[in-house]
């Protein structure tokens, strides 16, 4: 409507959304320096649909569109560390809210059931679909499983000496995860019609190492996502609106925004995020310049005689479409 009615010479305030293809997996491709996953997430150009490619391997009596969406809604949370239970719950909620788009899933039992621990859980069939999606992702893109293993392995080695997981994002923000185990505290709230049972989770003071590691998988990716926002906003000369891995731009600045995003993507890759995430034994007030990731990376390459070929093609603007 605006484009049809705007007068020549007047500014348009229409916002064009620009989203990043498979951002969580793209960052894993960069961190793991994996050219195959970079290819699948369009970091090297082309127009690959990773969700459809995996969905075509999903053996379900559902149409192609539903299988693709099942994979997308499984892969996205998985790339941030979610397990089968969380993914299955998301699939259940989506199916209930979108019966026309999920006719097959709506033929399954979408009620919650009690598991062995007494917790509410999606049906075994739905859990099985979620686990199949996880396995298909791992076989299609092994770098995703290696990323999870690498992060877990590194922080398991660090946690005995530190009561938290910490790292420095590529844009210089200090990140820390600290989780404590909890115990349930039960109570009742008087109501006009009776009493409501209340369950609170009180910290015990004991560290929950497994939860710290699991949550750090997603938080690490989010921190690099945020670094792209930080570097883009710090260098842009035109108006933009960022929302996680999406950006809003005026029509006249769309291609300029795409180019800027790819340039900053390549910049972050050149900082070697994997080195930043290792956050060596540093204090609470460490700064980016003090960590000197680039210098440390050059020393590392010199001592091991390794060379790293970038997996990002800065000209592949279709990553942000």
């Amino acid at each position: 409507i605006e484009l049809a009615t705007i007068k020549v010479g007047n500014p348009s305030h229409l916002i064009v959304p620009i989203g990043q293809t498979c951002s969580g997996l793209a960052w894993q491709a960069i961190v793991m320096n994996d050219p195959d996953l970079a290819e699948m997430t369009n970091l090297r150009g082309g127009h690959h649909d990773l969700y459809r490619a995996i969905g075509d391997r999903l053996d379900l009596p559902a149409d192609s569109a539903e299988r693709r969406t099942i994979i997308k809604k499984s892969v996205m949370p998985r790339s941030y560390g979610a397990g089968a239970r969380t993914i299955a719950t998301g699939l259940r909620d989506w199916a209930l809210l979108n019966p026309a788009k999920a006719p097959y899933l709506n033929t399954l039992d979408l009620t919650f059931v009690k598991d062995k621990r007494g917790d509410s859980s999606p049906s075994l069939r739905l859990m099985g679909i979620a686990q199949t999606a996880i396995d298909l992702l791992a076989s299609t893109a092994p770098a995703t499983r290696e990323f999870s293993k690498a992060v877990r392995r590194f922080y398991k080695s660090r946690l005995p000496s530190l009561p938290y997981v910490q790292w420095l994002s590529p844009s210089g923000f200090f990140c820390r995860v600290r989780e404590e185990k909890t115990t349930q505290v039960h109570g009742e709230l008087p109501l006009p019609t009776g009493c409501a049972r209340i369950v609170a989770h009180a910290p015990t003071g004991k560290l929950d190492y497994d939860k710290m590691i699991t949550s750090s998988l997603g938080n690490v990716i989010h921190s690099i996502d945020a670094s792209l926002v930080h570097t883009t906003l710090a260098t842009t000369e035109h108006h933009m609106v960022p929302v996680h891995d999406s950006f809003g731009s005026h029509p006249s600045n769309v291609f300029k925004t795409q180019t800027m995003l790819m340039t900053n993507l390549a910049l972050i890759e050149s900082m070697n995020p994997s080195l930043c995430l290792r956050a060596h034994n540093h204090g609470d007030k460490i700064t980016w310049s003090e960590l000197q990731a680039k210098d440390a990376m050059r020393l590392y390459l010199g001592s091991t005689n390794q060379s790293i070929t970038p997996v990002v093609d800065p000209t592949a603007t279709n990553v942000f479409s």
Side-chain angles (χ1 to χ4, degrees), residues 14-303:
L14 185 70
I15 295 180
V16 178
I18 303 174
Q20 183 176 350
T21 303
C22 303
S23 63
L25 297 181
W27 287 123
Q28 292 185 36
I30 291 174
V31 171
M32 302 304 295
N33 192 245
D34 188 271
D36 293 332
L37 185 55
E39 186 83 23
M40 296 176 198
T41 53
N42 299 322
L43 289 174
R44 301 167 72 89
H47 294 274
H48 302 87
D49 188 342
L50 181 59
Y51 300 136
R52 188 169 298 282
I54 300 178
D56 289 341
R57 298 174 56 199
L58 190 62
D59 186 16
L60 291 178
D63 63 27
S64 177
E66 184 176 1
R67 282 188 280 115
R68 183 188 183 279
T69 305
I70 289 174
I71 290 299
K72 181 176 181 179
K73 292 193 173 295
S74 300
V75 169
M76 288 177 65
R78 181 61 179 175
S79 63
Y80 292 99
R85 182 195 298 267
T86 301
I87 292 172
T89 301
L91 289 175
R92 170 191 177 273
D93 294 343
W94 171 71
L96 289 173
L97 291 172
N98 301 273
K101 296 181 179 179
Y104 169 70
L105 289 185
N106 275 277
T107 65
L108 306 179
D109 181 8
L110 297 180
T111 60
F112 277 122
V113 296
K114 294 291 184 181
D115 60 18
K116 295 180 179 179
R117 297 180 301 180
D119 296 331
S120 295
S121 177
S123 67
L124 291 177
R125 179 60 180 146
L126 209 53
M127 291 276 283
I129 293 174
Q131 186 58 55
T132 299
I134 291 174
D135 294 340
L136 285 175
L137 172 63
S139 63
T140 304
T144 60
R145 178 170 287 175
E146 293 306 312
F147 169 78
S148 177
K149 288 181 178 179
V151 173
R152 291 175 185 275
R153 186 166 55 245
F154 177 76
Y155 284 121
K156 280 184 178 179
S157 70
R158 290 289 307 282
L159 286 174
S161 59
L162 290 174
Y164 38 72
V165 169
Q166 63 181 17
W167 66 94
L168 203 64
S169 78
S171 55
F173 278 77
F174 190 74
C175 310
R176 173 176 290 176
V177 175
R178 187 181 189 278
E179 298 280 358
E180 290 186 9
K181 294 183 178 180
T182 60
T183 183
Q184 289 190 0
V185 179
H186 300 274
E188 292 185 343
L189 177 67
L191 297 174
T193 56
C195 289
R197 185 168 177 267
I198 297 176
V199 179
H201 298 271
T204 63
K206 297 181 180 180
L207 295 175
D208 192 333
Y209 294 108
D210 289 338
K211 193 172 183 180
M212 278 194 280
I213 294 173
T214 300
S215 59
S216 69
L217 289 170
N219 289 333
V220 158
I221 296 299
H222 283 305
S223 73
I224 312 180
D225 259 330
S227 293
L228 180 61
V229 175
H230 299 159
T231 54
T232 299
L233 293 184
T235 56
T236 184
E237 295 181 354
H238 58 268
H239 294 296
M240 289 180 61
V241 180
V243 182
H244 190 50
D245 62 344
S246 298
F247 299 82
S249 178
H250 288 152
S252 58
N253 294 323
V254 168
F255 299 112
K256 188 187 301 183
T257 301
Q258 285 181 317
T259 300
M260 179 184 299
L261 289 171
M262 286 307 302
T263 299
N264 288 325
L265 206 65
L267 173 63
I268 291 176
E269 182 189 25
S270 72
M271 295 176 179
N272 187 36
S274 62
L275 183 72
C276 311
L277 301 179
R278 293 175 188 175
H280 303 285
N281 293 319
H282 54 66
D284 292 353
K285 297 181 180 179
I286 190 73
T287 64
W288 176 257
S289 60
E290 290 170 330
L291 187 61
Q292 294 178 319
K294 290 184 180 179
D295 290 339
M297 187 60 190
R298 280 197 290 269
L299 291 173
Y300 170 75
L301 293 179
S303 63

